[in-house]
Amino acid sequence: MKATAKAHTNIALIKYWGKRDESLILPMNNSLSLTLDGFYTTTTVEFRDNLKADQFYLNDKPITGPEYTRVTKFMDLIRGYAEKPSIYAVIQSINHVPTAAGFASSASGFAALAAAATRALEMDLSNQALSRITRQGSGSACRSILGGFVEWEQGEKEDGSDSYAVQVAPPDHWDIRVAAVVLSSKMKKVSSRKGMKRTVETSPFYSSWVDSIPHDLKQIKEAIHVRDFETVGRIAEANCLRMHATTLGANPPFTYWHDTTMAVMQTVKDMRDKGIPAYFTIDAGPNVKVIYLPENEAEVEKTLRTIPGVTDVRLSRSGQGVTYL
Ligand code: 2P0
């Protein structure tokens, strides 16, 4: 009754921003991401007969409080699916996702946890079924079940049975790279969960955001298929800007951007003016991710490192989906 799984984080090129069902974690729109090989979580789940509750260790430290509650509630869900309601586990997670790099470790974290726990319970699930379960831990995590370019289909059903991730192209389809630009700024103030909820409930720009998704998705999938980098980058950047515009219309308004965030955005545009194809995207925090092609790696990294306020640049390639160790 023991299994270990490894899952990578992912970066959304078409963002997930807003839920239509908060408890089942059903999104308002489809999203599309690239799974990244550089940042991952490894989780071991071992069920033991003598335990009266789960134990959760993150990077070898015992975890309590809200973080523990979120994990054990997710384990309850998996126990429910397995029809084994009162068997508890020791969960050991090692995060290779630098929090400072602005990646939500929840994506790789819940993907690795779902994979390890269901494997330990010998549930033998398809990727589709595993993605559906993972989604209920954290939305973006359902995309990390698969490698390469991945689309999370929002689905229409109230029970969420048609809301899961599908692979658009495998990692070896296209060597496209991502630089995570780390800023010296502090932790974000509005969590993505609270930020998207406030935006859905109060921003008059929200419906325009949702309306814009099908066109972005159609175009970006065509461009991924033919490896048209400029179209992929242009759409991803515009989609990111539109997502962030919804937060400015929220009540109370907010933004995840800092001054250095905008300095990085400007530098990326300047690189393009000099003929280097690079595009930015930003999640629910101040850090910036830059997508570029392998032949421009040295120049992109060097340029990003010169920006005042940038403390680190971490490079990553396209990564694979969940694996079992
Ligand atoms: C994304 N983000 O598509 C978007 C873009 C942030 C901005 O998914 O509430 O941690 O657990 O479903 O998945 C972050 O939200 O939120 C996110 P929950 P999650 O990557």
Side-chain angles (χ1 to χ4, degrees):
M1 301 281 276
K2 179 179 175 180
T4 300
K6 177 180 176 185
H8 297 89
T9 192
N10 67 77
I11 178 74
L13 303 178
I14 304 294
K15 305 294 186 189
Y16 148 49
W17 194 243
K19 296 179 180 70
R20 69 175 198 277
D21 183 316
E22 284 176 25
S23 73
L24 287 172
I25 309 197
L26 296 174
M28 288 284 209
N29 62 277
N30 286 26
S31 53
L32 186 144
S33 59
L34 180 65
T35 303
L36 300 178
D37 79 339
F39 312 107
Y40 59 93
T41 303
T42 305
T43 298
T44 300
V45 175
E46 182 175 10
F47 288 93
R48 292 186 192 160
D49 289 335
N50 58 345
L51 293 177
K52 297 277 179 283
D54 296 317
Q55 296 173 9
F56 176 40
Y57 299 85
L58 181 59
N59 298 335
D60 296 323
K61 289 198 192 87
I63 302 295
T64 55
E67 228 178 328
Y68 171 81
T69 306
R70 194 167 163 195
V71 163
T72 196
K73 279 198 166 159
F74 184 63
M75 292 293 288
D76 287 343
L77 181 87
I78 291 174
R79 280 186 276 268
Y81 283 118
E83 299 180 356
K84 289 176 183 159
S86 50
I87 177 160
Y88 298 96
V90 178
I91 302 155
Q92 286 175 300
S93 275
I94 305 290
N95 240 342
H96 301 267
V97 183
T99 320
F103 284 112
S105 55
S106 64
S108 56
F110 278 95
L113 177 61
T118 55
R119 178 62 64 100
L121 289 168
E122 296 169 357
M123 287 170 73
D124 193 25
L125 301 170
S126 64
N127 280 335
Q128 192 184 100
L130 181 58
S131 169
R132 233 179 348 236
I133 292 176
T134 306
R135 186 199 77 225
Q136 296 172 71
S138 184
S140 54
C142 80
R143 298 186 308 234
S144 280
I145 298 302
L146 298 154
F149 293 93
V150 178
E151 181 175 4
W152 173 10
E153 296 185 349
Q154 63 184 90
E156 290 173 356
K157 295 185 181 163
E158 271 182 35
D159 66 0
S161 57
D162 56 354
S163 184
Y164 49 79
V166 294
Q167 191 175 59
V168 170
D172 62 4
H173 169 69
W174 193 11
D175 185 6
I176 165 173
R177 310 258 170 108
V178 176
V181 185
V182 184
L183 312 188
S184 52
S185 35
K186 297 182 192 73
M187 293 293 282
K188 67 189 174 197
K189 292 199 182 80
V190 184
S191 72
S192 51
R193 201 163 269 199
K194 286 190 180 139
M196 64 174 87
K197 183 169 157 59
R198 190 193 299 174
T199 306
V200 172
E201 288 171 356
T202 66
S203 178
F205 308 155
Y206 188 74
S207 58
S208 311
W209 152 258
V210 173
D211 292 345
S212 75
I213 300 291
H215 183 69
D216 278 2
L217 264 175
K218 183 172 179 289
Q219 290 213 318
I220 205 167
K221 283 196 283 189
E222 284 168 8
I224 289 168
H225 186 63
V226 299
R227 302 184 189 89
D228 173 352
F229 184 72
E230 284 176 19
T231 302
V232 168
R234 193 171 39 75
I235 294 169
E237 200 172 281
N239 183 271
C240 154
L241 290 171
R242 230 179 290 118
M243 177 205 122
H244 285 269
T246 67
T247 71
L248 296 177
N251 184 17
F254 65 105
T255 182
Y256 290 106
W257 299 357
H258 290 197
D259 47 0
T260 313
T261 311
M262 289 197 270
V264 177
M265 291 156 72
Q266 187 57 48
T267 302
V268 171
K269 286 184 191 155
D270 292 345
M271 277 197 269
R272 284 209 294 275
D273 290 343
K274 288 184 198 144
I276 300 168
Y279 295 84
F280 63 77
T281 186
I282 305 160
D283 285 331
N287 293 24
V288 184
K289 316 293 181 308
V290 179
I291 61 169
Y292 60 92
L293 291 169
E295 56 267 33
N296 301 120
E297 183 155 277
E299 184 72 24
V300 168
E301 183 183 10
K302 194 178 90 190
T303 306
L304 294 172
R305 283 188 186 276
T306 59
I307 304 167
V310 169
T311 56
D312 200 3
V313 176
R314 307 275 191 117
L315 308 181
S316 185
R317 299 177 184 217
S318 179
Q320 54 183 335
V322 156
T323 51
Y324 298 91
L325 307 177

